[in-house]
């Protein structure tokens, strides 16, 4: 188990330091955070639900796919679950390459796959007491 | 045939639990979904938009036959990030 799925607070720079190399001059860090509203309602928090075992496997498969497309980049990912307040970090993708263009591309490719494939669900709870499942995509 | 069913998100809420073991007379995933959907119409509505993972593999074909001890996960549309 890689523990890329966690209920602990994420430290983005720690993840970036895992993928950095002396030969690499382009390092990109994507940090996804919880917004303070959902639609036009003020958000209290989001409850993240995950199918952990499948999510770990899916992340492994995504990283393999990224490696095939960007063989000279190093990429790592971490995704949080549980109750997250506005401003908290929910997902981080760190990509390191020799040059910036490949690092940006590898990072973007990875986060897009995560959005479409990771078995994660979000329930938004609002300050007015109402709640809503965030509309998703079919895996 | 005994299978373990995992429910997530809207499916979990509709079913009122996150997992169960079911003794099942049919043979395919499709039959299983139709059975649990009939027993619980609000779950049935959710199922229409769900994907299914059989033993942690996303299923393309719901006609797939089930085996004793299989794990069937009901996955509503995902919204990670």
């Amino acid at each position: 188990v890689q523990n890329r799925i966690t209920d602990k607070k994420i430290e983005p720079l720690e993840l970036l330091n895992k993928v950095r190399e002396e030969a690499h001059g382009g390092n990109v860090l994507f940090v996804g955070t919880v917004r303070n509203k959902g639609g036009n309602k003020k958000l209290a928090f989001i409850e993240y639900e995950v199918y952990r075992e499948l999510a770990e496997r899916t992340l492994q498969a995504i990283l393999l796919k990224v490696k095939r497309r960007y063989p000279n980049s190093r990429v790592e990912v971490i995704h949080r679950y549980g109750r997250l307040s506005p401003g908290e970090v929910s997902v981080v993708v760190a990509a390191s390459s020799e040059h910036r263009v490949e690092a940006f591309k590898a990072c973007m490719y990875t986060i897009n796959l995560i959005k479409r494939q990771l078995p994660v669900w979000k329930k938004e709870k609002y300050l007015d007491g109402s709640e809503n499942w965030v509309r998703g995509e079919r895996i | 045939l005994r299978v373990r069913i995992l429910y997530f998100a809207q499916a979990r809420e509709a079913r009122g639990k996150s997992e169960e073991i079911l003794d099942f007379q049919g043979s395919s995933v499709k039959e299983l979904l139709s059975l649990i959907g009939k027993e619980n119409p609000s779950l049935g509505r959710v199922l229409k938009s769900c994907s299914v993972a059989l033993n942690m593999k996303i299923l393309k074909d719901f006609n797939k036959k089930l085996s004793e001890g299989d794990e069937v996960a009901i996955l509503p549309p995902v919204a990670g990030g």
Side-chain angles (χ1 to χ4, degrees), chain A residues 48-51 53-54 57 79 90-91 114-123 131 133-139, chain B residues 6-10 12-13 47-51 53 55-58 62 71 73-81:
Chain A
Y48 280 76
E49 183 170 338
V50 62
Y51 183 5
E53 298 86 348
L54 181 61
R57 287 184 185 210
H79 198 299
S90 56
V91 61
I114 287 171
K115 287 274 182 184
R116 285 203 300 270
Q117 297 180 354
L118 205 64
V120 171
W121 300 270
K122 292 190 279 207
K123 189 177 221 182
E131 57 183 41
W133 286 102
V134 175
R135 188 192 294 268
E137 288 186 58
R138 203 170 184 144
I139 297 188
Chain B
L6 306 180
Y7 301 98
F8 291 93
Q10 298 95 316
R12 173 181 53 73
E13 285 185 345
L47 285 175
K48 287 188 186 126
S49 61
C50 286
S51 301
N55 300 323
M56 280 201 268
K57 291 231 162 57
I58 303 294
F62 286 8
E71 181 182 277
I74 309 297
L75 312 175
V78 300

Side-chain angles (χ1 to χ4, degrees), chain A residues 84-99:
Chain A
L84 273 77
S85 302
E88 284 197 277
V89 177
S90 56
V91 61
V92 172
V93 178
S96 177
S97 310
E98 198 172 344
H99 299 286

Side-chain angles (χ1 to χ4, degrees), chain B residues 20-68:
Chain B
E20 66 185 331
I21 308 273
L22 201 79
D23 252 316
F24 167 57
Q25 303 303 323
S27 65
S28 70
V29 172
K30 200 177 183 172
E31 288 168 322
L32 177 69
L33 295 179
S34 139
L35 174 76
I36 60 178
K38 263 186 206 136
E39 279 178 357
N40 180 335
S42 63
L43 177 61
R45 278 189 292 278
V46 173
L47 285 175
K48 287 188 186 126
S49 61
C50 286
S51 301
V52 170
L54 175 59
N55 300 323
M56 280 201 268
K57 291 231 162 57
I58 303 294
L59 265 193
K60 297 247 158 32
D61 179 9
F62 286 8
N63 290 310
K64 178 96 178 168
K65 300 288 179 213
L66 289 162
S67 304
E68 177 74 22

